């Protein structure tokens, strides 16, 4: 297995991307191809004492900036790091691509060069959501802001495959994110999607409300990308605000500080579970290859974990499993 890493993508590139790739090689023995400006990558490898590691470098000069129009940039900058890294997957020289650069550009590159799996209407991003007992999968989390019922049922099917193959959840429970539990609740999209899911072969348990997301009621939670992205950003902000308030509370008095020392190990464990870097990257499901999308602010740990997640998704044959399942439905 070889994982192509876009060394130039992300707010903390190339330091975090190269360091994360190096950590993945050292910790997990994963073969990595770093894609980007050779002289910059070699400098970073030397900085981390990794010049002797068996890390391949594929040189390219261009980088897609965050503020560029994704599709136009991918078309014009064919020598950009995200395009070259994606083409390595297309050419079977790499088994997955990992990038913390422009999400739009990564999606455009995946669609242009990898293409969609036969039968897939629209790809979807599947993001792990921590629950009190483990983790669930939310999709779509931003790939498609406008969706049709047919898109959501495909997302549900792909999410169920990912949850079972990669997260190890047997016969995952699928829930539809809605404003109430009754099947007549919600807008037109929700009502029509409910009926499709109800009549599908998926383990559909009905509607799931926002308050249920982190309690593990469903293993796979389906919604349109606009709603999913709002949910994702809200959860990130809430977690950050919660720990800020806890920190202020602990520092408010001497007794609070003493108590804080006692609960510190538990708080650290909780913060780790809620930290996006623990999951690394999220897969763009529905394209004919593994493309892991990372947070733009990804640090080295996030990149390392994304490489690991990409390798696991490729090893579990996610693309083949989705193609097989959707083939049954046609």
């Amino acid at each position: 297995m070889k994982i192509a890493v876009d060394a130039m993508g992300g707010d903390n590139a190339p330091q975090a991307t190269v360091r994360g790739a190096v950590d993945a090689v050292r910790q997990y023995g994963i073969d990595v191809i770093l894609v980007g400006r050779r002289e910059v990558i070699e400098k970073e490898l030397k900085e981390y004492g990794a010049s002797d590691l068996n890390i391949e470098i594929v040189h390219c000069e261009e980088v897609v900036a965050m503020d560029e129009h994704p599709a136009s940039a991918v078309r014009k900058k064919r020598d950009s790091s995200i395009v070259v890294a994606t083409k390595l997957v297309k050419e079977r020289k790499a088994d997955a691509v990992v990038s913390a650069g422009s999400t739009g550009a990564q999606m455009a590159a995946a669609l242009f060069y990898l293409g969609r799996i036969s039968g897939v209407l629209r790809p979807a991003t599947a993001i792990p959501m921590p629950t009190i007992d483990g983790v669930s999968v939310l999709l779509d989390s931003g790939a498609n802001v406008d969706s049709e019922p047919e898109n959501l049922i495909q997302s549900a099917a792909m999410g169920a495959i990912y949850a079972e193959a990669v997260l190890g959840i047997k016969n995952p429970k699928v829930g539809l994110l809605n404003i109430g539990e009754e099947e007549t609740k919600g807008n037109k999209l929700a009502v029509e999607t409910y009926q499709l899911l109800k009549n599908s072969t998926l383990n559909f348990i009905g509607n799931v409300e926002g308050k249920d997301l982190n309690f593990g009621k469903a293993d796979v939670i389906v919604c349109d990308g606009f709603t999913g992205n709002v949910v994702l950003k809200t959860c990130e902000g809430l977690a950050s605000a919660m720990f800020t308030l806890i920190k202020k509370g602990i520092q408010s008095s001497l007794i609070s500080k003493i108590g804080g020392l006692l609960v510190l190990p538990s708080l650290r464990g909780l913060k780790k579970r809620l930290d996006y870097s623990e999951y690394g990257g999220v897969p763009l499901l529905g394209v004919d290859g593994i493309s892991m999308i990372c947070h733009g602010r990804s640090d080295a740990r996030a990149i390392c974990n994304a490489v690991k997640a990409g390798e696991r998704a490729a090893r579990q044959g996610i693309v083949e499993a989705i193609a097989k399942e959707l083939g049954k439905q046609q």
Side-chain angles (χ1 to χ4, degrees):
M1 289 285 175
K2 283 189 176 182
I3 309 300
V5 177
D6 173 10
M8 314 307 294
D11 297 344
N12 300 312
Q15 292 83 7
T17 49
V18 175
R19 178 60 183 269
V22 168
D23 289 345
V25 174
R26 286 175 170 165
Q27 293 178 30
Y28 306 116
I30 299 174
D31 292 333
V32 169
I33 303 172
L34 287 170
V35 182
R37 294 168 182 157
R38 182 177 296 275
E39 66 278 8
V40 174
I41 294 173
E42 288 178 342
K43 180 181 178 182
E44 290 300 319
L45 288 174
K46 185 176 181 181
E47 181 73 20
Y48 301 127
S51 299
D52 60 335
L53 289 180
N54 187 26
I55 295 178
E56 184 180 347
I57 300 174
V58 172
H59 174 75
C60 57
E61 282 292 334
E62 296 177 306
V63 178
V64 175
M66 291 290 192
D67 59 352
E68 291 186 81
H69 187 278
S72 297
V74 167
R75 287 192 183 98
K76 293 176 181 178
K77 294 186 172 182
R78 297 187 179 183
D79 192 42
S80 63
S81 53
I82 184 57
V83 169
V84 174
T86 302
K87 288 173 71 175
L88 289 175
V89 178
K90 174 65 176 178
E91 296 163 358
R92 300 293 187 263
K93 295 177 181 177
D95 298 284
V97 55
V98 170
S99 177
S102 166
T103 298
Q106 185 169 357
M107 288 176 57
L111 288 171
F112 289 165
Y113 294 100
L114 300 179
R116 292 191 292 265
I117 294 172
S118 178
V120 171
L121 300 172
R122 293 182 183 178
T125 48
I127 186 163
M129 293 282 289
T131 68
I132 57 173
D133 297 317
V135 65
S136 60
V137 179
L138 174 71
L139 70 166
D140 185 21
S141 57
N144 304 290
V145 295
D146 295 307
S147 299
E148 298 295 331
E150 293 77 11
N151 304 139
L152 296 193
I153 193 169
Q154 278 197 347
S155 292
M158 293 190 294
I161 292 169
Y162 181 77
E164 185 158 3
V166 176
L167 302 181
I169 303 172
K170 297 297 182 183
N171 194 26
K173 296 174 292 184
V174 176
L176 175 65
L177 186 60
N178 208 336
I179 59 173
E181 294 183 355
E182 299 86 353
E183 84 178 71
T184 55
K185 283 283 189 177
N187 56 17
K188 182 180 178 181
L189 174 63
V191 172
E192 291 183 2
T193 301
Y194 189 103
Q195 295 304 317
L196 290 179
L197 288 169
K198 181 180 178 181
N199 294 316
S200 73
T201 58
L202 296 168
N203 184 16
F204 180 55
I205 63 167
N207 289 327
V208 175
E209 296 182 74
K211 62 182 176 65
D212 301 316
L213 290 180
N214 300 114
F215 283 87
K217 184 175 180 179
D219 302 308
V220 178
I221 303 152
V222 186
C223 61
D224 62 272
F226 182 91
T227 303
N229 198 262
V230 171
V231 168
L232 172 61
K233 299 295 174 60
T234 300
C235 289
E236 286 182 356
L238 180 60
S240 179
M242 181 181 68
F243 281 105
T244 298
L245 290 172
I246 291 174
K247 185 177 180 180
K248 286 183 178 180
I250 289 175
Q251 295 176 343
S252 63
S253 67
L254 178 60
I255 293 178
S256 296
K257 290 179 180 178
I258 294 173
L261 290 174
L262 297 176
V263 300
L264 188 59
S266 295
L267 289 176
R268 283 175 175 167
L270 177 60
K271 186 175 182 180
K272 183 177 181 181
R273 285 196 62 197
L274 297 177
D275 189 352
Y276 69 85
S277 64
E278 287 299 310
Y279 303 103
V282 301
L284 181 60
L285 300 179
V287 294
D288 195 12
I290 306 296
S291 184
M292 303 296 296
I293 299 175
C294 304
H295 202 298
R297 299 194 304 272
S298 290
D299 57 14
R301 182 173 60 171
I303 297 298
C304 177
N305 286 332
V307 170
K308 181 181 178 182
E311 189 266 352
R312 185 165 60 247
R315 193 174 296 280
Q316 293 295 332
I318 293 302
V319 172
E320 295 78 10
I322 291 174
K324 182 178 180 181
E325 181 60 30
L326 294 184
K328 294 178 182 177
Q329 299 177 11
Q330 294 179 15

